[in-house]
Amino acid sequence: MSAEGTRALVLAGGGVTGIAWEIGVLDGLAAAGTDVTSADLIVGTSAGAAVGAQVAQVTPLADLVARQLTPPSESGEISVTLDVEEYRAKMAEIMAGSADADAMRALIGKMALEADTVPEAVRREVIVARLPIQTWPDRPLVLTAVDTATGVWRTFDSGDGVPLVDAVAASCAVPGVWPPVTIDGKRYMDGGARSLTNADVARGHERVLVLVPMAMLDEQRAQLDAELESLGGGVSSLVIAADEASVAAMGPNPLDPEFRATALAGGRRQALEMAEAVATFWA
């Protein structure tokens, strides 16, 4: 899937407001003259999977922006109350004492399987509503997920024979919030259980642009730095993470669709502020 001498766009997780922020960034950059959706590879995790699946199909950014501005009652999204700090504390408690990364993620998977969520079919319809085109694009798109039973991380692409809707739904299946997704008899959850960004999927590409729709914790930033370092010498990378104003615009709950419009505006503002630097990097 990778080829040297190419550009990769990495779209990180961040909830329904993260989807809006990333679309805002992409739209703002395109308006300023740099359309990074032309990347040779798009990597999507969670919210980034939903965005990546849309832009990889060359869906006009204006259409995606318009969808973010529809009233929540018409968007098909399901609003869920989520206390981010409480959720992070719960994840930390589950992960404490795990023998290794796979074992840690398997514990999260166990929690995800036992959680009281909406039915899988109901959640799948939300993903269907997000995707104007529901087939894999002709160009490289890689989405990330984690096997709930084993904790093993995996990727999906057009060669796997997995429907795009299911791959996106799996990558967006926040453990404990949304139901794991059944694919070939296995249950998968959010690729963010392995990494917020999964930027190391872009190995083999010379320029890697990463969009992160949140203020990263120290450990998340350290993991992203390690992923980018693993890409090897000679690789250039640029990270655009939500700044303080964008974080405020996205509200306290990343799963609340009421904040999509302000999140979108925050992303677009940041894009315009970063436009010159991105244009130089991407050229």
Side-chain angles (χ1 to χ4, degrees):
M1 187 62 71
S2 297
E4 292 188 7
T6 55
R7 299 170 296 185
L9 173 63
V10 176
L11 302 167
V16 69
T17 57
I19 291 174
W21 182 87
E22 289 181 345
I23 290 173
V25 172
L26 297 174
D27 182 58
L29 291 176
T34 304
D35 184 2
V36 297
T37 67
S38 64
D40 302 285
L41 169 68
I42 296 177
V43 180
T45 294
S46 199
V51 176
Q54 295 175 75
V55 300
Q57 286 285 15
V58 200
T59 303
L61 285 167
D63 291 353
L64 300 185
V65 167
R67 292 171 67 85
Q68 296 305 308
L69 297 176
T70 59
S73 60
E74 300 174 14
S75 68
E77 296 289 343
I78 302 172
S79 182
V80 173
T81 300
L82 179 69
D83 184 313
V84 175
E85 294 304 317
E86 182 180 309
Y87 184 80
R88 285 173 173 167
K90 182 179 181 179
M91 290 298 105
E93 182 180 352
I94 291 172
M95 293 185 291
S98 299
D100 57 35
D102 286 351
M104 174 191 73
R105 291 191 289 264
L107 290 175
I108 296 174
K110 182 175 184 294
M111 179 273 290
L113 291 168
E114 295 174 348
D116 183 16
T117 67
V118 299
E120 190 175 337
V122 171
R123 174 61 176 166
R124 191 178 192 277
E125 287 306 306
V126 173
I127 305 302
V128 168
R130 288 179 182 173
L131 304 179
I133 302 174
Q134 295 158 20
T135 55
W136 285 92
D138 293 331
R139 57 202 186 100
L141 169 69
V142 178
L143 309 179
T144 70
V146 171
D147 187 322
T148 56
T150 64
V152 173
W153 172 76
R154 71 160 291 177
T155 60
F156 296 103
D157 61 37
S158 60
D160 291 328
V162 173
L164 179 64
V165 170
D166 292 336
V168 173
S171 191
C172 292
V174 181
V177 176
W178 304 121
V181 174
T182 305
I183 298 174
D184 296 332
K186 296 181 179 181
R187 306 290 302 282
Y188 290 94
M189 63 181 176
D190 199 316
R194 187 254 190 177
S195 165
L196 176 66
T197 48
N198 292 296
D200 46 340
V201 175
R203 186 170 290 108
H205 292 73
E206 291 184 345
R207 280 165 288 174
V208 180
L209 175 63
V210 185
L211 303 189
V212 184
M214 64 172 62
M216 287 182 285
L217 300 175
D218 289 345
E219 56 266 32
Q220 290 171 327
R221 180 70 219 205
Q223 184 168 12
L224 173 55
D225 289 343
E227 290 168 2
L228 294 174
E229 185 177 354
S230 76
L231 300 179
V235 176
S236 298
S237 62
L238 179 63
V239 178
I240 303 178
D243 61 14
E244 186 174 345
S246 282
V247 170
M250 288 188 275
N253 176 8
L255 302 181
D256 187 349
E258 293 283 353
F259 286 87
R260 292 179 306 152
T262 52
L264 179 83
R268 201 171 196 279
R269 172 191 54 78
Q270 278 195 254
L272 296 176
E273 292 173 357
M274 291 284 294
E276 185 175 350
V278 174
T280 300
F281 170 76
W282 201 247

